[in-house]
Amino acid sequence: MKPILVAVGLSALFATSTLSADRLTVDPARAEAAIKAAFRAAPPDWQSRLIPDDTLSECSGTDNSPSAAQFEAIRKREAAKVAYPDDGKLLGDWKKGERLAQSGYGMRFTDYPPRNPNGGNCYACHQLTRHEVSYGTIGPSLLGYGKARGTTPEAVKEVYEKIYNPHATFACSLMPRFGTNKVLTVEQTKDLVALLMDPASPVNE
Amino acid sequence: MLTRRGALFAAAVAALAWCGTSASERSSLRGQETDTERAIEHYRQMLKDDPWSNPGLLDVDRGETLWATPRGPKNVSLEACDLGKGPGKVEGAFAELPRYFADADQVMDLETRLLWCMEKLQGFNRADIIKRPHPGGGQPVKELGAIATWIAHQANGARFAAPSAHPKEKEAVALGQALFERRSGPFDFACTTCHAEPGKRIRLQGLPHLASPEEARKVIGEWPAYRVSSTHVMTMQHRLYDCYWQMRMPELEFGSEASVALIAYLVNKADGGEITAPAIKR
């Protein structure tokens, strides 16, 4: 009932809103069966890609707007999935980080067998430096990110966690869980932390 | 045609280079963003200004010929194919798809219906066609896609009015919405990751907010579209397949229920939007 009330409320607030209280819903099992059938030719080791975990199911089911209680539960669950380097060092090489931020390579069905390391493709969604004008706007601009926050251990740890698993900070973030989902390695994540936080990085010029 | 395309590419490169060189002279980043978007819009307008610069029209002609040519094991044409307005009735049919077809007892989009007709009327093997249904970069759109391009073009100027009275048509739209919002895969992406807000971009590519009728009406009727970056016509089934590729999902099966449901959802959002296919895309 609550989501419907929220939808009606929003529709009243914004005349252009497309939310509709009389929206038809489908049985979740129906959607899962349709996905399974649509990707039935996928190799066995790809089948896991079809199955959302609890966090994704909750995010999809709430259009990425979880309730306050869900938000905290997701945050806690995902924070437990962050792994840190053994030596505790979280800052890598910003130059390698910049290359990762530019690369969208990896994990598409035409990327096998892998010819390059996976990229982070940060520029697809974020502005990072003044030198790269081809950047996306799905995520916030990260220009001057480290300069604004300083390089305290807390600030560095926070960035590492945001890249490794953004839901640990902000439940139902649109950003991939690069570390938890094994898209990027711990070393690669450190290089991206350096790109954002190192005072010598073009991000902080 | 090639000269024309060369000129368009040069214009695009010049437009983008202009953004790059002048970036440092700009005082504010907000200004830079606006200029970038203006330059891209200028490029798009140049593509639209001369409709005969559209190589997709070659596939419209090819599709028209293919429709009327006896083909397949049964050596018959597709002229008895019922696209929803009666056998052989092509004009405007695209505007009323996807729809429920009693003979197949399912909702079908244009391409799925053509696949059905090629199988039932012409005797083609469905599995053979859906094995590699989309062209690689630089290759022309496949035969089914060319026919779809012609049929969509035959509805140009019409407005989307897909029927929604049948329970299965309603269900397809609802299923499409659920799939549109459903996140999975190693990048945790859903269609809504990119298409849930207005005014967003990936790199420099603008992203339509497809849950908004206003924006859906502007873009859904452009497909099948000629894609400059891959130099071929890309159909809507191919467009979705390409989205799932980018989402790090497996290969979307051509004509699958999920693919039809997503198209039903998008066309439902675009209801009343004008058909302008094949448009030219980046």
Side-chain angles (χ1 to χ4, degrees), chain B residues 247-264:
Chain B
M247 289 159 73
R248 274 71 182 176
M249 289 285 277
E251 294 185 67
L252 177 68
E253 185 171 309
F254 185 97
S256 57
E257 185 190 31
S259 70
V260 175
L262 282 163
I263 295 170

Side-chain angles (χ1 to χ4, degrees), chain A residues 10-35:
Chain A
L10 284 174
S11 298
L13 277 173
F14 306 106
T16 55
S17 172
T18 58
L19 292 170
S20 164
D22 62 358
R23 172 185 159 183
L24 265 174
T25 51
V26 286
D27 178 2
R30 183 92 176 66
E32 295 313 304
I35 285 289

Side-chain angles (χ1 to χ4, degrees), chain B residues 133-276:
Chain B
H134 309 301
Q139 299 296 310
V141 67
K142 298 281 174 104
E143 288 166 339
L144 192 160
I147 299 166
T149 308
W150 172 62
I151 291 166
H153 188 65
Q154 290 303 104
N156 261 8
R159 294 181 180 276
F160 278 122
S164 59
H166 195 280
K168 288 202 175 181
E169 289 165 348
K170 286 191 175 70
E171 192 196 20
V173 173
L175 177 61
Q177 175 157 9
L179 299 177
F180 196 78
E181 294 168 358
R182 182 187 181 280
R183 299 177 69 170
S184 79
F187 277 38
D188 299 338
F189 282 169
C191 307
T192 48
T193 308
C194 290
H195 298 288
E197 278 185 81
K200 298 289 180 183
R201 302 193 319 242
I202 287 187
R203 291 280 186 159
L204 292 178
Q205 177 62 40
L207 300 162
H209 176 205
L210 294 172
S212 144
E214 194 192 350
E215 293 203 24
R217 282 183 200 122
K218 274 188 210 155
V219 296
I220 299 301
E222 297 187 322
W223 301 89
Y226 182 81
R227 212 152 181 245
V228 177
S229 56
S230 47
T231 65
H232 56 216
V233 163
M234 184 181 246
T235 64
M236 185 54 101
Q237 282 276 342
H238 190 184
R239 179 57 275 192
L240 295 178
Y241 171 95
D242 208 46
C243 281
Y244 276 115
W245 168 80
Q246 194 66 270
M247 289 159 73
R248 274 71 182 176
M249 289 285 277
E251 294 185 67
L252 177 68
E253 185 171 309
F254 185 97
S256 57
E257 185 190 31
S259 70
V260 175
L262 282 163
I263 295 170
Y265 171 67
L266 293 172
V267 169
N268 179 267
K269 287 294 170 195
D271 191 63
E274 189 181 341
I275 293 159
T276 57

Side-chain angles (χ1 to χ4, degrees), chain A:
Chain A
M1 201 63 211
K2 200 177 149 207
I4 292 173
L5 288 174
V6 171
V8 171
L10 284 174
S11 298
L13 277 173
F14 306 106
T16 55
S17 172
T18 58
L19 292 170
S20 164
D22 62 358
R23 172 185 159 183
L24 265 174
T25 51
V26 286
D27 178 2
R30 183 92 176 66
E32 295 313 304
I35 285 289
K36 211 173 166 195
F39 297 105
R40 63 185 167 161
D45 58 338
W46 278 61
Q47 293 298 324
S48 63
R49 298 194 184 197
L50 306 183
I51 305 159
D53 64 9
D54 290 349
T55 294
L56 289 192
S57 294
E58 287 167 34
C59 294
S60 304
T62 58
D63 203 8
N64 298 312
S65 305
S67 69
Q70 280 175 313
F71 188 97
E72 265 320 296
I74 291 169
R75 232 186 39 68
K76 208 171 152 191
R77 180 197 298 146
E78 296 302 319
K81 298 181 190 170
V82 179
Y84 300 89
D86 295 335
D87 63 5
K89 292 199 172 76
L90 300 181
L91 276 168
D93 178 347
W94 71 260
K95 284 178 186 156
K96 287 185 188 163
E98 165 67 12
R99 284 199 289 277
L100 284 172
Q102 290 283 5
S103 168
Y105 182 85
M107 301 183 98
R108 298 165 297 202
F109 53 71
T110 49
D111 290 338
Y112 294 88
R115 300 176 294 279
N116 292 296
N118 292 343
N121 210 13
C122 314
Y123 282 108
C125 299
H126 296 282
Q127 182 183 31
L128 288 150
T129 65
R130 287 178 193 278
H131 310 287
E132 181 52 86
V133 296
S134 174
Y135 60 85
T137 58
I138 293 173
S141 170
L142 304 175
L143 197 65
Y145 194 90
K147 207 171 168 180
R149 284 162 185 78
T151 44
T152 62
E154 293 76 26
V156 170
K157 184 165 172 273
E158 196 186 301
V159 173
Y160 180 89
E161 287 166 350
K162 271 190 182 166
I163 299 168
Y164 200 96
N165 190 327
H167 298 256
T169 312
F170 192 87
C172 297
S173 162
L174 298 182
M175 186 167 139
R177 291 172 286 185
F178 286 106
T180 297
N181 289 359
K182 304 216 177 313
V183 178
L184 299 177
T185 64
V186 165
E187 283 307 306
Q188 287 179 308
T189 307
K190 286 164 62 176
D191 293 336
L192 290 174
V193 173
L195 177 66
L196 287 171
M197 304 306 274
D198 193 323
S201 159
V203 168
N204 299 314
E205 261 172 24

